DNA sequence: GCCGTTTTCGGCCCGACTGTTTTCAGTCG
């Protein structure tokens, strides 16, 4: 067997790279062939790409453990695709793809990234003008050569230049927390319009993804026209991209796109299902509908011409023989099968957290006193917080030494005497050193109510060393919780390399709790790690990482992340009252 | 190319918006 695993194989066979190969195959199959079946073969590659991109396990690992047979167990991967994956893992290339690329040598990501430019356009542009990339396209548009291409006009040529500019500004997906206030503000304006019954941000916002590509508003109203009027003329709108009787598309001044769908009340459920997605989840539902002799779209569930459901989402799912599924689970990653068996887990609810176990004060890098943080938490509806200031080796953050931590613990006890119906726990965010040891002595940590530990330095150790560093911290009997275990900052830096599966296993063996840091820049653990952890029976906590009382609002995003990882209330220890929480820790 | 509680062959989600389409193709949600 392939012991020694990947040693001899190409280092680039990461899931993301394999998915990219599949997408390129999908694109070139669609473009390059006249075969009427080409679009379906193309879609097969795209489906495989999506599956692989969101697979928690490494495809290269699967291959090294179980070979082709292992690959075939991946949904949407059959003999042909498995062989191509094998070839890519072994050689770093896929011959068939190289051949296709030679025939249409274009930068797919660049050209496809431009709105309104799809496969047909890219092929046409290459055939007529030898356009290979963005720079070529910009040049021919500026030179006025584009208008000569069939299907193009002077106006389209002009639009193209605008779209190229927009693409070049390169707006990545937005972090949900950063635009949440804007999302909610527009949602409220829409809901207050006369004649509007419901207004909600659907799409990836309703699924509470950590980043969102655009904002998708669904509104029910008997007369869509005034809603469309308002939406396209809001002060936030920079440009109207499209507008029809049911849908409108705008670009907001903040650089993000917003879509609007307006439907009558009797289509609320089906439209909400459609517009919440995910696409993959919806396609699966629509296939189920077909197999039951039904048709599902945003307007309802139909048997022939007759509408049989659509007023509520529950009704839509029921018509398909399914239990209702929480939006956060709708990613086509096993939730539909559970719903068919009426086994959808009861996810941890928003607003059920009783405490927050990562809270900073001005004594390290926070901006409020311990008492202000405590009163803020109480006002937010919490019953307890752990004050987790940084420790001495994190000098930049004003970390405390052992002596100072003990003094702080004493002050916290005095404060608790003054606080009614609220408890502050003495704790710390202890810095994990390069070798996995802690920068505070055990005899100090023993006097705290609980201890969190985290990595804040040496991010570029090799994966084995980084993993062992966290493992050593988890094995330390003083450490109750590992904070932000992967260290990632969304859209800023990847986490340090770490074998999260091993960390999860060790957490299980040592009764160490893992954190979901709810700060919207972190959301760490991320959704799929949450799912892995709870599957193994590891307990989690959801913390705000607050540095000011207003930051308790971040907890919502942490709960969302837990729900996206299918966590129930039993999995989340800070849904417990403080005494029971402390008993549950090691 | 993938896949099978009606199929190992014959299907593959389905509709809105744009443009110049005169009855639909391309792109996107
Ligand atoms: N049935 C069907 N629904 C789709 C398709 N594409 C998009 N949708 C639905 C599901 C999506 O969640 C919803 C909004 O589309 P978006 O492109 O905005 O995707 P979404 O919001 O999920 O992700 P995003 O963060 O915006 O990239 O529209 C499709 O091809 N078929
Ligand atoms: Mg969206
Ligand atoms: Mg959208
Ligand atoms: Zn930290």
């Amino acid at each position: 067997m392939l012991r020694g695993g990947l040693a001899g194989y190409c280092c680039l066979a990461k899931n993301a790279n394999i998915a990219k190969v599949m997408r390129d195959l999908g694109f070139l199959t669609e473009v390059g062939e006249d075969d009427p079946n080409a679009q379906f073969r193309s879609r097969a590659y795209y489906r495989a790409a999506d599956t692989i991109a969101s697979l928690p396990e490494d495809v290269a690992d699967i291959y090294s453990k179980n070979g082709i047979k292992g690959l075939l167990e991946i949904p949407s991967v059959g003999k042909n695709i498995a062989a191509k994956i094998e070839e890519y893992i072994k050689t770093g290339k896929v011959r068939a793809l190289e051949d296709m690329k030679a025939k249409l040598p274009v930068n797919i990501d660049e050209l496809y990234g431009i709105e309104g430019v799809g496969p047909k356009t890219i092929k046409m542009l290459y055939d007529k003008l030898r356009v290979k990339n963005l720079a070529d396209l910009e040049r021919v548009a500026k030179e006025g050569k584009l208008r000569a291409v069939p299907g193009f006009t002077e106006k389209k040529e002009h639009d193209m230049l605008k779209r190229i500019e927009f693409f070049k500004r390169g707006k990545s997906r937005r972090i949900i927390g950063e635009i949440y206030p804007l999302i909610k503000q527009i949602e409220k304006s829409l809901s207050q319009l006369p004649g509007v019954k419901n207004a909600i941000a659907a799409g990836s916002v309703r699924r509470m993804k950590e980043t969102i590509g655009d904002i998708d508003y669904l509104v029910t109203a008997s007369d869509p026209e005034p809603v469309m009027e308002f939406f396209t003329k809001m002060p936030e709108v920079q440009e109207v991209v499209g507008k029809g009787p049911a849908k409108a598309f705008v670009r907001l001044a903040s650089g993000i796109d917003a879509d609007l769908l307006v439907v009558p009340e009797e289509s609320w459920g089906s439209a909400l299902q459609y517009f919440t997605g995910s696409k993959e989840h919806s396609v699966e539902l629509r296939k189920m509908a077909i197999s039951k002799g039904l048709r599902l779209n945003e307007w309802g569930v139909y048997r022939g011409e007759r509408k049989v459901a659509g007023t509520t989402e529950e009704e839509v799912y029921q018509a398909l023989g399914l239990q209702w599924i929480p939006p956060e689970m709708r990613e086509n990653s096993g939730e539909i099968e559970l719903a068919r068996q009426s086994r959808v887990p009861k996810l941890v609810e928003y607003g059920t957290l009783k405490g927050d176990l990562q809270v900073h004060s001005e004594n390290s890098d926070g901006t409020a006193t311990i008492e202000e943080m405590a009163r803020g938490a109480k006002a937010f509806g919490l019953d307890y917080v752990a004050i987790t200031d940084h420790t001495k080796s994190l000098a930049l953050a004003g970390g405390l030494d052992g002596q100072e931590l003990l003094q702080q613990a004493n002050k916290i006890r005095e404060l608790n005497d003054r606080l009614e119906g609220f408890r502050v726990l003495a704790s710390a965010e202890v810095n994990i050193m390069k070798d996995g040891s802690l920068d505070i002595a055990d005899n100090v940590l023993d006097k705290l109510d609980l201890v969190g530990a985290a990595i804040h330095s040496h991010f570029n150790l090799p994966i084995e060393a980084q993993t062992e560093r966290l493992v050593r911290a988890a094995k330390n009997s003083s450490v109750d919780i590992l904070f932000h275990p992967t260290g990632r900052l969304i859209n800023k830096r990847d986490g340090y390399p770490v074998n999260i599966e091993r960390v999860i296993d060790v957490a299980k063996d040592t009764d160490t709790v893992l954190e979901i840091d709810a700060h919207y820049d972190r959301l760490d653990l991320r959704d799929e790690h949450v799912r892995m952890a709870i599957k193994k029976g590891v307990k989690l906590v959801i913390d705000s990482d607050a540095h000011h009382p207003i930051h308790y609002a971040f907890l919502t995003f942490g709960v969302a992340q837990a729900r996206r990882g299918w966590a129930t209330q039993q999995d989340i220890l800070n849904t417990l009252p403080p005494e029971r929480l402390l008993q549950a820790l090691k």
Side-chain angles (χ1 to χ4, degrees):
Chain A
M1 287 301 290
L2 285 159
R3 281 204 65 82
L6 296 172
Y9 293 138
C10 171
C11 47
L12 291 175
K14 293 263 163 256
N15 287 5
N17 302 85
I18 298 172
K20 160 83 169 121
V21 167
M22 291 302 134
R23 269 201 311 279
D24 287 354
L25 280 165
F27 176 83
L28 292 164
T29 300
E30 186 176 14
V31 173
E33 297 178 35
D34 296 330
D35 171 10
N37 234 8
Q39 62 162 309
F40 294 110
R41 292 196 291 120
S42 163
R43 257 191 253 171
Y45 283 120
Y46 281 121
R47 250 201 329 275
D50 287 343
T51 309
I52 288 166
S54 59
L55 209 62
E57 303 95 13
D58 251 338
V59 172
D61 269 355
I62 294 174
Y63 177 72
S64 77
K65 288 199 191 99
N66 296 317
I68 290 272
K69 259 182 72 183
L71 297 180
L72 289 173
E73 276 165 28
I74 302 169
S76 306
V77 172
K79 279 170 71 176
N80 184 302
I81 288 181
K84 289 191 164 65
I85 294 174
E86 178 180 52
E87 184 186 351
Y88 183 70
I89 291 175
K90 283 184 166 167
T91 69
K93 276 202 163 58
V94 177
R95 265 298 284 281
L97 175 59
E98 298 303 314
D99 293 347
M100 293 164 98
K101 276 184 176 167
K103 285 194 201 129
L104 189 67
V106 299
N107 187 326
I108 300 168
D109 291 341
E110 276 189 8
L111 295 176
Y112 215 171
I114 300 166
E115 286 167 15
V117 175
K120 302 287 177 197
T121 310
I122 293 175
K123 173 117 174 53
M124 177 73 80
L125 289 173
Y126 181 74
D127 287 347
K128 299 288 177 200
L129 296 172
R130 288 288 176 262
V131 168
K132 288 186 182 172
N133 52 40
L134 195 68
D136 288 348
L137 180 56
E138 187 170 13
R139 198 191 61 244
V140 297
K142 281 192 172 147
E143 289 171 354
K145 288 182 184 160
L146 204 55
R147 66 189 70 170
V149 175
F152 274 88
T153 57
E154 206 176 321
K155 179 179 182 309
K156 276 183 102 173
E157 187 177 79
H158 180 76
D159 285 353
M160 184 65 76
L161 281 169
K162 274 204 324 203
R163 288 168 177 181
I164 291 171
E165 276 316 303
F166 183 73
F167 177 82
K168 285 209 281 191
R169 257 175 282 153
K171 292 280 178 195
S172 58
R173 299 175 60 83
R174 300 300 185 86
I175 291 173
I176 189 168
E178 287 181 358
I179 54 164
Y180 211 66
L182 174 69
I183 293 170
K184 288 289 160 187
Q185 175 214 314
I186 295 176
E187 187 181 76
K188 189 167 167 219
S189 315
L190 287 169
S191 71
Q192 289 172 342
L193 291 178
V196 166
K197 269 283 180 338
N198 302 286
I200 189 173
S204 49
V205 172
R206 184 159 180 250
R207 301 201 313 281
M208 291 297 269
K209 283 198 71 165
E210 59 199 36
T211 65
I212 65 159
D214 69 353
I215 318 173
D216 302 289
Y217 290 105
L218 172 65
V219 168
T220 55
S222 42
D223 181 11
E225 182 46 32
V227 185
M228 306 288 272
E229 269 300 295
F230 171 84
F231 184 73
T232 51
K233 301 209 162 106
M234 297 184 296
E236 295 87 354
V237 172
Q238 185 182 66
E239 187 191 348
V240 179
V241 180
K243 181 167 179 277
K247 284 181 167 183
F249 311 91
V250 300
R251 176 148 304 142
L252 303 179
S254 48
I256 189 160
D257 287 350
D259 299 351
L260 172 68
L261 169 63
V262 188
V263 300
E265 248 188 292
E266 56 267 27
S267 292
W268 164 245
S270 46
L272 186 56
Q273 191 292 307
Y274 154 71
F275 221 27
T276 298
S278 67
K279 176 189 165 191
E280 290 73 20
H281 175 89
S282 291
V283 167
E284 211 49 43
L285 294 189
R286 287 170 182 213
K287 285 191 206 158
M288 282 192 76
I290 293 170
S291 73
K292 290 183 182 306
L294 301 169
R295 191 174 89 254
L296 169 62
N297 59 37
E298 58 265 54
W299 306 102
V301 181
Y302 298 86
R303 187 178 294 282
E305 289 302 293
R306 199 166 62 87
K307 185 168 161 188
V308 297
T311 307
T312 65
E313 271 193 336
E314 284 80 359
E315 195 183 281
V316 170
Y317 281 92
Q318 192 180 33
L320 302 176
L322 298 173
Q323 206 181 350
W324 181 83
I325 299 172
E328 297 90 336
M329 291 180 72
R330 300 184 194 173
E331 302 290 347
N332 192 28
S333 58
E335 74 281 7
I336 293 174
E337 181 55 23
L338 284 187
R340 215 175 53 78
Q341 302 168 5
S342 295
R343 287 176 48 223
V344 173
K346 193 170 167 351
L347 302 185
V348 56
E349 298 283 347
Y350 294 98
T352 51
L353 296 183
K354 291 194 164 66
D356 186 343
L357 301 180
Q358 194 194 154
V359 172
H360 299 263
S361 82
E362 64 180 13
N363 299 337
S364 65
D365 62 350
T367 55
T369 64
I370 293 175
E371 179 157 357
E372 284 163 349
M373 292 308 289
R375 294 193 184 279
K378 188 165 186 236
F380 187 77
L382 298 176
D383 297 338
Y384 59 97
V385 294
I387 297 296
T388 55
D389 279 311
H390 290 284
T391 51
K392 63 185 178 193
S393 60
L394 207 62
L396 268 173
L400 309 182
D401 63 21
Q403 194 61 34
E404 290 165 325
L405 277 175
L406 291 177
Q407 284 166 5
Q408 179 153 303
N410 284 333
K411 286 201 188 128
I412 285 172
R413 270 165 215 127
E414 289 168 28
L415 174 60
N416 276 326
D417 292 340
R418 280 185 281 125
L419 291 173
E420 284 282 316
F422 190 86
R423 181 156 173 203
V424 181
L425 302 171
S427 183
E429 180 176 4
V430 181
N431 207 16
I432 300 175
M433 308 307 285
K434 188 177 175 188
D435 64 357
S437 65
L438 304 180
D439 68 343
I440 300 293
D442 285 343
N443 65 347
V444 172
L445 298 180
D446 288 347
K447 300 202 172 65
L448 302 179
D449 292 310
L450 73 161
V451 171
I455 285 177
H456 297 99
S457 61
H458 298 103
F459 291 154
N460 49 9
L461 296 183
I463 184 164
E464 297 79 13
Q466 200 67 277
T467 304
E468 281 317 301
R469 196 177 171 197
L470 278 176
V471 163
R472 184 167 167 204
K475 286 183 173 167
N476 186 318
S477 62
S478 299
V479 173
D480 298 292
I481 308 170
L482 291 180
F483 286 164
H484 47 74
T486 77
R488 68 146 174 187
L489 290 177
I490 301 171
N491 281 359
K492 293 193 188 74
R493 68 163 190 241
D494 292 336
Y496 34 76
V498 63
N499 179 347
I500 194 71
E501 281 161 75
R502 167 133 167 85
V503 173
I504 286 169
D505 286 340
V506 173
K508 176 64 186 167
D509 291 344
T510 57
D511 281 327
T512 307
V513 174
L514 299 180
E515 180 188 58
I516 300 172
D517 189 313
H519 192 293
Y520 52 69
D521 282 340
R522 291 191 179 272
L523 293 171
D524 179 9
L525 297 178
R526 65 166 65 199
D527 45 15
E528 72 245 42
H529 296 156
V530 171
R531 207 166 148 188
M532 288 163 64
I534 64 173
K535 211 167 171 183
K536 294 252 169 104
V538 171
K539 296 297 180 189
L540 307 174
V541 294
I542 301 170
D543 301 333
S544 68
D545 202 349
H547 288 65
H548 184 278
I550 60 170
H551 296 162
Y552 292 120
F554 298 164
L555 287 170
T556 301
F557 302 111
V559 176
Q561 198 75 351
R563 290 169 61 86
R564 289 183 53 80
W566 300 16
T568 66
Q569 184 164 335
Q570 287 68 47
D571 298 311
I572 309 296
L573 288 184
N574 53 330
T575 58
L576 296 171
E579 311 75 36
R580 292 204 33 217
L581 165 88
L582 291 173
Q583 285 165 17
L585 298 175
K586 60 171 130 159

